[in-house]
Amino acid sequence: MNPERPSGSSGVSQPRPSGLFAFVRKYVFSTDHRVIGVQYFLLGFVAALIAVVLSLVMRVHLAWPAVRLPLIDRLSPLGAPGGLLTPEYYLSLLTLHGTLMVFFVLTTVPQSAFGNYFLPLQLGASEMPYPRLNMLSLWLTLASLVVLLSTLFIANGPPISGWTAYAPLSAAGAIAGPGEGMGQTLWTFSIAGLCCASMMTAVNFIFVTLRGRAQGMTWMRMPLTAWAWFVGAAMILLSFPALVVDCVLLLLDHLAGASFFLPAGLVMSGQVLGLHGGSPLLWQHLFWFFGHPEVYITILPAMGLTSHLVSIFSRKPVYGYRAIVYSTVAIGVLGFLVWGHHMFMTGMNPFAAFSFAALTMAISVPSAAEVFSWLGTLYGGSIRFATPMLFTIGFVSVFVTGGLTGIFLAQPSVDMYLHGTYFVVAHLHLVMGVAVGFGIFAATYFWFPKVTGRMMSERLGQAHFWLTFVGAYLTFMPMHFLGLKGNPRRYSSLSAVPFVASLRPVHIFITIAALATAAGQLLFVVNLVWSLLSGARAPDNPWKATSLEWILPSPAPFQAFATDRPVVQTDPYELGVGGNPEVYVTQGSAPPATG
Amino acid sequence: MAFLVSLAVVLLAVSTSVLLLLSHQGWLPPAVSLLAKAVDRQFDVTFVISGVLFASAQLLLATFIWKYRSTRRNARVMPMRGHGILQGIWTAAMAVLFVWLAVTGFVPWATARATERIPGVLVVEAWGEQFEWHFRYPGPDGKFGPVHPDLMNDGAGNYLGLAPWRDPASRDDIVTANLAVPVNQPVRLILRSKDVIHSFFVRELRIKQDAIPGEEIPVHFTAAKTGTYEIVCTELCGMGHYEMHAKLFVMTESRFEKWLRKMAAQQ
Ligand code: HEM
Ligand SMILES: [Cu+2]
Ligand SMILES: [Cu+2]
């Protein structure tokens, strides 16, 4: 249908000499949004793999502290002598795990990987408006990842301050603890780099949405995935600068002898630091001004995809399209007004605490509205249970569970008990880890045919779903119980405090569940590789879906919409036309004569 | 497949709800203050509301998956695009419910942080440092002497850098490794830190408050039951975070006086 267009027909030149150079130009230093999307996916994949392994090391250490772990003493003879983790090395791995997951997996994959590939296609744009910026963003992300991982190989290892890097622990330098010197400095460079890279991607997303839409692709005809990427990009552009500033100030504290985050009169290891009054809370305010929008940046694409897939696999239009659009925008706005709910115990003024609590509750309302819409879309449908739909159903279930625990945490009084315990760990892993993970899996199974021209194995996919769905609940539900018992988070050992030690059986259960769930992910890896090599050939529109990328051949060709730009005449979810689940209209194709 | 998925979701909803309800009594450690009881009430209300929402959302999900699975017989769909009024009612109901929770869920927290002077309150400082707690009682003069960072010396036992030889207010200050308070006595605990951020947490009091260097943050409680409770640190403060704990002794008035005299003698 759409043969690859010869080079030179577009703004971005793609020289075609043969051999290695051509390969490198096309697949390594590419400015093509599709290639960049795939590269982001691979980057996130590697980061996720490492982060999962780290979490298993931590879980095994917590449950069975006497077990000698293989290989890790080779990586760090100091941090894991004889295969036994030291407390500080546990915290180093904890920091790396959280940082990799939040920044390099959950931010990068839903937004930069899938968004890069499919946002332009769903809008009918031929390319990203700034392809070189896009490429720069990818390579900056990779550089940031390398810098972060390099901390594993330096003398005192990665920082021990967690992904939130609270000052003064993160700001005072090596005297505050192992990894707080060079390790923390490298961490800060890495995060600042990643933030800048994400902002570049966001600029592309915003401009492709504002300027690149095909004729007839009005705002209210945009697929809800596109809406989610757009609002997510706007949130990135407005919130990530706060973290960049935070990182710059932290670097000044580390490298230039400044004390933005260090108050006067600090005494560490018996030494007076001799500083002039900075504010530790400044770090937290800037961090959470970024951090709360960030958690919604990770989940908005998954929420958009859920709306999208619930409709396609129920064979009927989205229930309450406009309500979802408005909810997405409302989440985008309110997301900037609630950061203080992470800081209820910092000595906050009661008026501020009250406002933050009320606004936090307010942001649950659009989330509840979306859940209502998803259920409404399922209602009266003709539901097909392909793997992408299974993960979408899983997403709805987990999002409800994890969202409701947010209702506990949003109340200062209840948070006073639960803050800093495993209850928060359960909450954040259910909504951010598991739910966004389900979104990533659904997206992979759904779009794999468009990217590779092959279908993924349904059989492996369904087995993967069951192991993940059951395993994730078994792993994270018991953490609520630990939190209710008051078990603090970020403890490297259960042995010191008696009531924590008595909870060890629960920790053992969680570790076993986590190991099993992680093993289940091998099915996903196998499926990816096997399907890539010998999956069934994919038709152009295997799911009978309605957004623009599906009028293209599979795999999607280079700059598909550059010359024959599609004209959109229909809504994004024209499914079940006339009550018939088989009748649908894909955007960009001619609308039915009757109807 | 439809059957399996909806069965899984039903099982999840039912088993979780049953498990939680059965074990409900034993979840939280006993509450030993009025404030803790108020927190528990708020927790219970939230639990019931979110439990109902949880079970109904999961059960609806399961029902729809089962009922509207694709079969030859139900080969029609209902292509409705929304019901403005129904969605509006749902959204408004959630808004009212959640904001009401925010208002009520704010009160006990604020009570613990009320700033007005409570008559007869016992004022104690709690200091965090990597990785131990120290507590300071002002002594008979009711005044805390100034602290001097340059004099802080754990090896010499001058944890808080006091200079009793030149600060009269420091002379009767009592610094201890554990916290003791009389039962039914209102306490104003002032959280301070020497180095990084720590967080003071006593489960049975439902009290948590960060100790932030450079700041003095008060929190109030009245323990209503004698006993020994664990004080732990709930803010990541470095490699020894997991072992940073101390004891809270809630004693009768007379035993407390004795304890304090004993501690004073050890200074
Ligand atoms: C639906 C309504 C939600 C409410 C009311 C809510 C509320 C809260 C509150 C109050 C906290 C602070 C808890 C504490 O530290 O004591 C928190 C933590 C957190 N929430 Fe949520 N949340 C909601 C949804 C979400 C979603 C959708 C995500 C992610 C996609 C998310 C991710 C997180 C994370 C990552 C943290 C912990 C950060 C950390 O301390 O490491 N939350 N949430
Ligand atoms: Cu938040
Ligand atoms: Cu600590």
Side-chain angles (χ1 to χ4, degrees):
Chain A
M1 260 163 82
N2 259 308
E4 290 235 334
R5 242 156 284 283
S7 63
S9 71
S10 66
V12 187
S13 67
Q14 292 266 325
R16 292 283 164 88
S18 56
L20 186 66
F21 179 74
F23 179 84
V24 169
R25 187 76 180 77
K26 197 161 164 212
Y27 294 110
V28 182
F29 294 102
S30 173
T31 52
D32 179 356
H33 69 98
R34 298 168 316 155
V35 177
I36 292 176
V38 173
Q39 289 172 321
Y40 267 118
F41 182 86
L42 295 174
L43 182 149
F45 191 81
V46 171
L49 225 58
I50 301 172
V52 167
V53 171
L54 295 179
S55 71
L56 296 180
V57 169
M58 292 187 293
R59 281 303 331 166
V60 169
H61 172 78
L62 272 185
W64 302 290
V67 167
R68 292 175 183 275
L69 294 156
L71 299 177
I72 189 141
D73 54 334
R74 298 261 194 84
L75 181 65
S76 174
L78 223 78
L84 300 173
L85 301 193
T86 61
E88 57 272 25
Y89 202 61
Y90 175 94
L91 294 176
S92 293
L93 300 187
L94 175 83
T95 304
L96 269 192
H97 165 78
T99 308
L100 283 169
M101 282 298 197
V102 172
F103 292 98
F104 292 91
V105 181
L106 300 175
T107 308
T108 301
V109 176
Q111 191 78 6
S112 306
F114 289 108
N116 249 313
Y117 203 111
F118 288 105
L119 178 60
L121 295 185
Q122 290 197 332
L123 298 174
S126 62
E127 246 303 352
M128 281 296 188
Y130 309 110
R132 286 203 182 77
L133 191 69
N134 213 8
M135 181 174 89
L136 178 62
S137 162
L138 172 84
W139 290 98
L140 187 52
T141 306
L142 181 64
S144 306
L145 178 61
V146 170
V147 169
L148 180 68
L149 293 175
S150 72
T151 56
L152 279 169
F153 304 98
I154 62 173
N156 280 312
I160 60 171
S161 55
W163 79 280
T164 50
Y166 277 10
L169 180 59
S170 63
I175 194 166
E180 285 310 311
M182 190 55 150
Q184 189 74 57
T185 306
L186 290 174
W187 181 93
T188 314
F189 272 114
S190 164
I191 295 310
L194 177 101
C195 287
C196 293
S198 304
M199 276 146 51
M200 295 175 200
T201 300
V203 168
N204 262 318
F205 280 31
I206 289 170
F207 277 92
V208 81
T209 312
L210 292 178
R211 310 293 299 276
R213 283 174 287 139
Q215 190 189 337
M217 179 61 82
T218 59
W219 286 100
M220 287 300 155
R221 280 191 187 149
M222 276 172 28
L224 290 165
T225 37
W227 266 107
W229 282 318
F230 173 68
V231 173
M235 292 179 81
I236 287 181
L237 209 57
L238 293 171
S239 67
F240 280 38
L243 188 55
V244 175
V245 168
D246 228 5
C247 286
V248 170
L249 298 185
L250 187 59
L251 285 173
L252 289 172
D253 278 8
H254 268 252
L255 303 174
S259 59
F260 287 103
F261 303 127
L262 298 163
L266 288 192
V267 179
M268 289 185 193
S269 309
Q271 237 173 291
V272 185
L273 297 196
L275 300 153
H276 309 283
S279 159
L281 287 183
L282 177 61
W283 169 269
Q284 288 189 36
H285 280 292
L286 286 168
F287 186 89
W288 290 117
F289 187 82
F290 142 84
H292 189 84
E294 161 69 1
V295 307
Y296 276 96
I297 289 162
T298 68
I299 204 160
L300 275 182
M303 292 169 78
L305 185 70
T306 299
S307 311
H308 196 70
L309 297 190
V310 161
S311 163
I312 290 170
F313 287 94
S314 304
R315 310 311 302 161
K316 60 189 283 273
V318 166
Y319 179 88
Y321 173 89
R322 272 171 193 270
I324 295 185
V325 170
Y326 298 146
S327 297
T328 307
V329 175
I331 287 173
V333 174
L334 287 172
F336 284 92
L337 304 176
V338 302
W339 79 91
H341 65 215
H342 297 274
M343 300 171 64
F344 286 141
M345 304 315 139
T346 55
M348 179 178 274
N349 178 306
F351 292 107
F354 180 71
S355 321
F356 281 126
L359 284 161
T360 301
M361 287 300 194
I363 204 174
S364 318
V365 175
S367 303
E370 292 207 26
V371 173
F372 193 78
S373 284
W374 298 331
L375 291 176
T377 308
L378 289 170
Y379 181 86
S382 168
I383 303 171
R384 323 269 148 112
F385 295 91
T387 310
M389 183 57 166
L390 293 180
F391 277 104
T392 300
I393 291 169
F395 176 94
V396 176
S397 170
V398 172
F399 184 77
V400 167
T401 311
L404 284 171
T405 55
I407 303 297
F408 289 80
L409 299 173
Q411 303 172 50
S413 306
V414 184
D415 190 49
M416 182 154 61
Y417 185 74
L418 297 172
H419 175 72
T421 70
Y422 265 83
F423 194 90
V424 179
V425 181
H427 165 71
L428 80 93
H429 279 85
L430 277 180
V431 268
M432 197 143 107
V434 182
V436 179
F438 279 14
I440 291 174
F441 290 136
T444 310
Y445 287 103
F446 180 66
W447 276 314
F448 190 85
K450 189 51 66 192
V451 175
T452 66
R454 290 181 189 272
M455 305 297 292
M456 287 183 80
S457 155
E458 267 298 306
R459 222 168 229 253
L460 284 176
Q462 295 188 349
H464 174 221
F465 166 74
W466 284 109
L467 286 172
T468 313
F469 183 73
V470 176
Y473 265 118
L474 288 180
T475 307
F476 294 111
M477 284 308 254
M479 289 190 187
H480 296 104
F481 178 77
L482 292 178
L484 296 178
K485 287 287 174 209
N487 190 341
R489 65 195 281 206
R490 294 167 165 173
Y491 270 25
S492 58
S493 157
L494 313 173
S495 61
V497 178
F499 79 79
V500 177
S502 72
L503 296 168
R504 181 151 170 251
V506 185
H507 280 279
I508 292 177
F509 180 89
I510 291 172
T511 299
I512 294 171
L515 287 168
T517 314
Q521 304 315 303
L522 291 176
L523 289 184
F524 179 64
V525 180
V526 168
N527 200 349
L528 277 179
V529 176
W530 181 84
S531 305
L532 193 63
L533 298 176
S534 53
R537 292 262 164 228
D540 291 353
N541 190 358
W543 314 114
K544 301 179 186 158
T546 49
S547 49
L548 266 175
E549 75 269 31
W550 301 103
I551 65 170
L552 297 171
S554 303
F558 175 63
Q559 295 195 345
F561 291 133
T563 47
D564 41 34
R565 302 209 59 185
V567 179
V568 176
Q569 303 176 47
T570 52
D571 284 345
Y573 300 104
E574 285 297 318
L575 293 129
V577 180
N580 185 340
E582 300 306 325
V583 181
Y584 63 100
V585 187
T586 304
Q587 286 187 320
S589 59
T594 59
Chain B
M1 185 53 63
F3 177 69
L4 284 180
V5 181
S6 72
L7 185 70
V9 178
V10 170
L11 278 180
L12 167 79
V14 174
S15 62
T16 310
S17 311
V18 170
L19 266 177
L20 292 183
L21 281 174
L22 282 184
S23 62
H24 183 199
Q25 281 317 311
W27 279 356
L28 303 176
V32 301
S33 69
L34 278 181
L35 181 90
K37 296 222 162 78
V39 169
D40 284 11
R41 257 194 311 282
Q42 189 63 28
F43 178 88
D44 286 345
V45 170
T46 313
F47 173 76
V48 170
I49 291 172
S50 60
V52 169
L53 288 175
F54 169 80
S56 40
Q58 304 284 5
L59 290 177
L60 273 182
L61 180 62
T63 312
F64 291 175
I65 292 166
W66 173 243
K67 188 140 183 256
Y68 300 110
R69 71 198 183 279
S70 158
T71 62
R72 263 187 222 108
R73 265 174 294 120
N74 72 356
R76 309 291 298 165
V77 296
M78 300 179 228
M80 75 282 188
R81 287 160 195 268
H83 303 107
I85 295 180
L86 193 59
Q87 289 170 268
I89 291 174
W90 165 257
T91 309
M94 287 302 109
V96 171
L97 185 65
F98 290 165
V99 171
W100 173 71
L101 275 178
V103 174
T104 52
F106 166 74
V107 178
W109 178 92
T111 317
R113 282 157 183 81
T115 44
E116 63 264 28
R117 280 248 158 254
I118 304 161
V121 72
L122 169 70
V123 185
V124 189
E125 279 186 353
W127 283 77
E129 82 167 82
Q130 290 175 325
F131 301 97
E132 50 200 46
W133 291 104
H134 302 288
F135 302 91
R136 176 158 72 143
Y137 297 81
D141 68 349
K143 278 195 213 126
F144 291 110
V147 296
H148 307 281
D150 50 322
L151 295 178
M152 288 178 182
N153 187 338
D154 287 9
N158 194 357
Y159 301 106
L160 303 185
L162 303 184
W165 57 91
R166 61 172 197 250
D167 303 324
S170 296
R171 274 176 208 147
D172 58 354
D173 285 6
I174 304 163
V175 179
T176 63
N178 294 302
L179 175 63
V181 297
V183 67
N184 292 326
Q185 155 81 49
V187 178
R188 176 183 176 87
L189 193 68
I190 299 170
L191 275 296
R192 306 185 66 175
S193 167
K194 289 164 70 170
D195 41 35
V196 302
I197 300 180
H198 306 273
S199 196
F200 173 95
F201 179 39
V202 177
R203 300 185 303 158
E204 290 81 358
L205 293 174
R206 312 285 189 263
I207 285 281
K208 185 175 291 135
Q209 175 57 52
D210 288 357
I212 299 175
E215 310 209 10
E216 301 176 27
I217 309 173
V219 65
H220 294 102
F221 66 86
T222 308
K225 196 157 172 273
T226 55
T228 303
Y229 310 103
E230 200 75 48
I231 299 166
V232 292
C233 175
T234 46
E235 186 58 68
L236 176 55
C237 55
M239 58 192 201
H241 173 50
Y242 73 100
E243 55 181 4
M244 178 166 170
H245 65 124
K247 296 265 187 263
L248 165 67
F249 304 119
V250 179
M251 307 167 159
T252 57
E253 177 79 44
S254 58
R255 291 198 53 196
F256 172 72
E257 296 299 340
K258 235 197 258 160
W259 179 86
L260 204 58
R261 273 199 301 279
K262 193 170 121 210
M263 289 297 138
Q266 287 175 11
Q267 293 299 305

